[in-house]
Amino acid sequence: MAAAERTADHYPSFRTQALIDGAFAPAASGRTFDAVNPATGKVLAQVAACDSADVDRAVKAARAAFEDRRWAGLRPVERKRILQRFAELIRAHRDELALTETLNMGKPIADARSIDVRAAADCFAYYGECCDKVYGEVAPTTADTLALVLREPLGVVGCVTPWNFPMIMAAWKVAPALAMGNSVVLKPAEESPLTALHLGELALEAGVPAGVFNVVPGLGVEAGKALGLHMDVDAIAFTGSTEVGRYFLRYSSDSNLKRVFLELGGKTAFVVAHDVADLDEVAQAVAAGIFFNQGEMCTAASRLLVDNRIRDALVDRVAALAPRWMPGDPQDPAARAGAVVSFEHQGRILAAIAEGVASGARLVTGGTAVRQESGGAFVAPTVFDGVSPASALAQKEIFGPVLSVIGFDGLEEAVSIANGTVYGLGAAVWSGDLAAAHQVARRFKAGIVYVNCFDADDITTPFGGVKQSGFGRDKSLHALDKYCDLKTVWTRL
Ligand code: NDP
């Protein structure tokens, strides 16, 4: 059906209750919170507002499922089949999942279908495949001993996720945790809980046993905190802001010293040397790097560091591309950008823009709310030039479609500016001299570096940061290490 023909009657019926021990149920308190469509400001559904009582019930169910080995005790090939079936069901429900994601967080429907649903399904398929391919070792000890190094699941893993890629962020954590045999309690972001609940339903349908995958929607300060402080949660896998990441470290230290893995914010530097071959190509990559997903990307190319010799030429080209990224109706298949996630977030982005103007940076394009007649929260693609590397524009994560351009003279200065924030998630360098580019790549303090490309992605590559962008890696075989313990078993022969 064409998006324009959709009416409220054609919307998917949303799951809105918590999924605990294989059954959907309201929060024990009976409280709910509104799931809002940020493109219209209209309420989509009332969702269970779980608090510590619900989290405790979910953790108990997850623990019971773990201890009776209804999941961890299955033959690995059987866990694999179930996770593969789960991936197939995600693909089969692509339209509803994509529409739900778009309605709930404002991203363009074309992206939700071709990126979010596909990547979530591929992630479950990939980790499903690992179930019977990743196993322990026999250590090369003396001839009269046998030393086994076993990989054992941790037990109960709490996953707390943000709203910018709700399904993908959930999949990156839940899939490897399940593949290793753990039970999971997922707390999705309050702004976008709907697809997580749908995933829970599909997991049950695929054959994931009751209690193994629980979903507790709710507020961070209630459900998220309760999970972080719970004495019977063995690990927390968190993606979100650096500020909230700090809370999880405190929760751990105030409770059972559960291990905590943090994927946090970023302030990616996109460095362009004077000798790049094709400025138009660079401009396209910069524009996509900052304006894709409304700039709501932890790896968004939010700082363009460009050699002063080509700065004006590149800024002109990026500004000329900005209209192509002007937000449209997220349900329009032709829209490249949609609504930002909420009015509150729109307010934060506009405040950061106002601070940028006050700092003396030159507003080249954008800087305003747009599509206000829609009733939704939209921000025009925005470019600032002449940004001081020490200013808030260049230091704080805005998480919106706002590009800060900083000039440099020589790659030495570029590296120093690039590394001059508290973050260390992504970085990029473009140059006609590949050797020079790789020298720069080695000096970036970042977990993910792009050379003459941007935002390349594959499930086989680790994703995560250094410094205050966190620690631990999602994706790839390395992510499995977060969700298991090594146990050494000695036998004298
Ligand atoms: P937040 O840190 O605000 O929230 C993340 C999650 O933590 C949400 O589920 C939230 O619940 C919960 N939470 C909030 N406060 C608390 C609390 N006091 N105790 C326990 N849990 C809490 O991040 P956003 O959702 O706003 O997401 C944006 C952030 O995520 C950006 O900083 C971005 O860079 C980062 N991010 C990092 C990625 C990476 O891989 N490094 C990838 C994607 C995003 P609630 O929704 O109810 O507030």
Side-chain angles (χ1 to χ4, degrees), residues 177 220 227 232 336 342 406:
L227 205 49
D232 205 24
R336 272 190 169 189
S342 65
I406 302 169

Side-chain angles (χ1 to χ4, degrees), residues 160-165 169 172 187-191 218-226 238-245 247-248 251 262-266 296-299 348 397 399 423 425 463-465 469 474:
V160 181
T161 50
W163 44 257
N164 60 337
F165 290 93
M169 294 298 109
W172 283 6
K187 204 302 273 179
E190 138 195 4
E191 288 89 348
L219 310 191
V221 285
E222 295 179 355
K225 182 175 179 182
F238 172 79
T239 293
S241 61
T242 297
E243 182 193 353
V244 176
Y247 282 117
F248 277 97
Y251 299 151
L262 302 175
E263 300 287 354
L264 308 175
E296 295 167 328
M297 295 264 294
C298 49
T299 49
R348 283 194 292 263
E397 183 182 47
F399 223 59
Y423 297 112
L425 187 57
F463 186 99
S469 291
D474 283 332

Side-chain angles (χ1 to χ4, degrees), residues 78 105 116 174 253 375:
E78 185 54 24
M105 63 74 62
D116 296 71
V174 174
S253 111

Side-chain angles (χ1 to χ4, degrees), residues 269-289:
F270 190 122
V271 173
V272 184
H274 72 95
D275 57 357
V276 279
D278 182 346
L279 265 192
D280 290 317
E281 188 192 4
V282 180
Q284 299 267 8
V286 170

Side-chain angles (χ1 to χ4, degrees), residues 56-344:
D56 189 49
R57 214 158 67 76
V59 173
K60 285 199 169 90
R63 174 60 61 191
F66 183 71
E67 295 302 333
D68 71 16
R69 298 183 61 75
R70 72 187 77 159
W71 177 244
L74 288 181
R75 289 172 63 213
V77 69
E78 185 54 24
R79 282 210 307 275
K80 172 172 88 173
R81 284 196 193 112
I82 292 171
L83 290 179
Q84 300 286 13
R85 212 176 299 144
F86 186 14
E88 279 312 314
L89 282 171
I90 293 171
R91 292 185 184 114
H93 288 259
R94 182 169 86 155
D95 288 349
E96 299 123 85
L97 285 166
L99 182 57
T100 304
E101 203 79 308
T102 287
L103 291 170
N104 200 183
M105 63 74 62
K107 72 171 62 202
I109 187 75
D111 291 348
R113 283 170 63 88
S114 66
I115 298 171
D116 296 71
V117 179
R118 180 192 52 73
D122 288 354
C123 182
F124 280 101
Y126 175 83
Y127 286 109
E129 199 58 52
C130 293
C131 291
D132 60 358
K133 297 187 180 53
V134 175
Y135 45 88
E137 302 152 7
V138 177
T141 56
T142 54
D144 59 347
T145 57
L146 173 67
L148 304 178
V149 183
L150 306 180
R151 280 173 171 266
E152 295 197 330
L154 302 176
V156 177
V157 175
C159 304
V160 181
T161 50
W163 44 257
N164 60 337
F165 290 93
M167 259 184 295
I168 298 179
M169 294 298 109
W172 283 6
K173 295 177 188 324
V174 174
L178 290 181
M180 293 310 294
N182 298 282
S183 298
V184 167
V185 179
L186 167 65
K187 204 302 273 179
E190 138 195 4
E191 288 89 348
S192 59
L194 297 177
T195 47
L197 291 164
H198 196 163
L199 287 182
E201 183 176 24
L202 295 179
L204 280 179
E205 194 180 331
V208 175
V212 170
F213 180 21
N214 306 275
V215 186
V216 285
L219 310 191
V221 285
E222 295 179 355
K225 182 175 179 182
L227 205 49
L229 282 170
H230 203 289
M231 292 299 286
D232 205 24
V233 169
D234 297 290
I236 290 282
F238 172 79
T239 293
S241 61
T242 297
E243 182 193 353
V244 176
R246 286 182 206 283
Y247 282 117
F248 277 97
L249 291 175
R250 280 190 216 128
Y251 299 151
S252 170
S253 111
D254 288 348
S255 57
N256 60 344
L257 294 183
K258 59 180 69 65
R259 62 197 70 184
V260 175
F261 303 103
L262 302 175
E263 300 287 354
L264 308 175
K267 195 76 189 175
T268 294
F270 190 122
V271 173
V272 184
H274 72 95
D275 57 357
V276 279
D278 182 346
L279 265 192
D280 290 317
E281 188 192 4
V282 180
Q284 299 267 8
V286 170
I290 181 63
F291 300 137
F292 170 69
N293 212 50
Q294 304 74 241
E296 295 167 328
M297 295 264 294
C298 49
T299 49
S302 50
R303 290 183 300 155
L304 170 60
L305 275 49
V306 50
D307 190 292
N308 279 320
R309 284 171 277 183
I310 56 166
R311 177 166 142 200
D312 289 346
L314 184 55
V315 171
D316 288 350
R317 282 169 171 78
V318 174
L321 290 171
R324 295 199 204 168
W325 291 92
M326 195 56 81
D329 176 355
Q331 286 191 70
D332 177 352
R336 272 190 169 189
V340 297
V341 74
S342 65
F343 292 97
E344 193 185 347

